[in-house]
Amino acid sequence: MADKLIKDAALIPVAAQTPFMAVTPITIPAPQRYVDIELRVSAPTTGDKLPIILLSHGHGASNYLSSNRGVLPLSEFWASHGFVVIQPTHLNSTTLSPETPEAPLFYRSRAQDMALILDRLDLIEKAVPGLAGRLDREKVAVAGYSLGAFTAGMLLGMQLHDVDGEETLDLRDDRIKAGVLIGAPGLGSRLDGPIGQRYPALTKNTFDAMKVPALIVAGDKDFNPNFSTHTDWRSDAYRLSPAPKSLLAVTDAEHGYGGVAGYDAGETTDENPERVAFVQRMTWAWLWSALHPGSDAWEKAQASLNGEAGRLGHVETR
């Protein structure tokens, strides 16, 4: 479908768009949790052997964007191009936010939510009309925005140290084969702004053991001294984790990345539909190739940046 708000980003090749359905709320039991997990599942209406993306929302000020109602610009795009996207509402959501010792970030619980979702795929398939038997459970990726990227990092092997009375907290899930981190918190020792005092768990992470293939999406204007005085802090996961890793550097992107958290979100300081389209298309291409060895989707997407679409950002790989 043509969109007059999107110009050069449309030059980035992606699979043909197809109809998708979104089913919500789906509730799966979580006996060890404050409440059961409520999900949104977005899936193509046709096709088999569908790859899965677990998508983790952030921790913003909005009432509903930090829930399974958020990050729809990404989940709906990915679902309309061949992925099944599963979005939980984590306990840090403003709609929940229970007063427990793990509040307010619920960093451990958020990663455990995703593992439980994978444990309950049979229930999820039955809850979504027409989805049963269509999932490819060997092709699972995780993606996250902001604090959701911290969650994704934990599932990919990022570790926390000296937190919750444990020497090392490692919640890596081997069922997850790839990940996308958008606006991810960087290395804990470089979180030298006041946010580190407010959220000390964010100061405890390291990327040395994050060996799973990942795409790190970082904006060249995603800088806030309240978090870190290091202007490249949001790309730490790319530079400091073992290869293979790719960096998608987004030109002029602040922490909103054009508005990936939600359509027309008021707190998006860099609202730009074409920037969102750039992130949509480039992340889709990377995820598709990461879960389908032999696919040239990522290669073609990178090649398109040699033309007019290159003004929107660039890729580095290691």
Side-chain angles (χ1 to χ4, degrees):
M1 180 181 68
D3 186 335
K4 68 179 183 180
L5 300 177
I6 299 169
K7 298 178 181 177
D8 294 338
L11 301 173
I12 301 168
V14 295
Q17 187 176 40
T18 62
F20 73 94
M21 57 183 172
V23 180
T24 188
I26 295 171
T27 302
I28 59 174
Q32 305 303 317
R33 201 172 181 264
Y34 171 76
V35 292
D36 290 337
I37 301 178
E38 186 175 285
L39 306 175
R40 176 188 179 97
V41 178
S42 303
T45 56
T46 59
D48 295 310
K49 296 183 178 180
L50 299 172
I52 301 165
I53 301 174
L54 307 178
L55 178 56
S56 181
H57 62 74
H59 182 71
S62 294
N63 289 323
Y64 294 104
L65 292 184
S66 295
S67 75
N68 65 26
R69 305 179 194 185
V71 212
L72 297 188
L74 295 182
S75 65
E76 293 187 348
F77 184 87
W78 292 338
S80 69
H81 292 81
F83 288 99
V84 173
V85 185
I86 305 176
Q87 300 174 253
T89 294
H90 296 301
L91 290 179
N92 72 292
S93 173
T94 305
T95 63
L96 298 175
S97 296
E99 292 298 325
T100 72
E102 204 185 342
L105 296 185
F106 296 93
Y107 50 87
R108 179 196 295 265
S109 170
R110 290 169 62 99
Q112 291 172 335
D113 288 348
M114 299 308 208
L116 186 59
I117 288 169
L118 293 179
D119 292 341
R120 301 285 190 268
L121 284 178
D122 286 343
L123 292 178
I124 294 169
E125 279 194 1
K126 292 176 182 177
V128 178
L131 187 60
R134 297 173 58 213
L135 297 179
D136 188 338
R137 302 188 186 198
E138 298 301 313
K139 290 182 170 60
V140 180
V142 65
Y145 166 64
S146 195
L147 182 60
F150 194 82
T151 301
M154 293 184 71
L155 291 161
L156 298 174
M158 183 188 76
Q159 297 178 335
L160 303 188
H161 302 280
D162 299 317
V163 66
D164 289 347
E166 297 187 44
E167 182 177 349
T168 300
L169 179 61
D170 188 341
L171 295 179
R172 162 87 177 104
D173 193 311
D174 290 333
R175 293 171 291 184
I176 297 173
K177 309 303 182 185
V180 170
L181 282 59
I182 303 171
L187 186 67
S189 62
R190 302 212 312 155
L191 195 160
D192 53 7
I195 292 296
Q197 297 177 4
R198 184 176 179 184
Y199 302 130
L202 296 180
T203 69
K204 306 291 187 177
N205 70 322
T206 59
F207 298 106
D208 308 71
M210 201 178 85
K211 300 178 181 179
V212 182
L215 173 67
I216 316 304
V217 182
D220 60 10
K221 293 184 179 178
D222 188 358
F223 167 70
N224 184 338
N226 288 317
F227 285 86
S228 176
T229 59
H230 302 276
T231 58
D232 60 351
W233 186 64
R234 295 286 181 182
S235 61
D236 282 353
Y238 168 71
R239 295 181 295 101
L240 302 177
S241 63
K245 296 294 185 294
S246 292
L247 172 70
L248 178 64
V250 187
T251 302
D252 291 335
E254 300 175 19
H255 195 57
Y257 291 83
V260 298
Y263 297 110
D264 296 321
E267 65 266 42
T268 300
T269 58
D270 65 334
E271 184 173 11
N272 186 312
E274 185 155 39
R275 185 168 300 130
V276 173
F278 178 70
V279 174
Q280 287 172 330
R281 285 158 170 76
M282 294 300 292
T283 55
W284 175 89
W286 187 90
L287 284 161
W288 194 262
S289 288
L291 295 180
H292 297 86
S295 167
D296 61 358
W298 180 234
E299 181 181 352
K300 288 181 175 179
Q302 291 183 84
S304 72
L305 302 187
N306 293 326
E308 294 299 319
R311 70 176 180 83
L312 300 169
H314 69 273
V315 170
E316 300 177 21
T317 299
R318 51 181 296 273

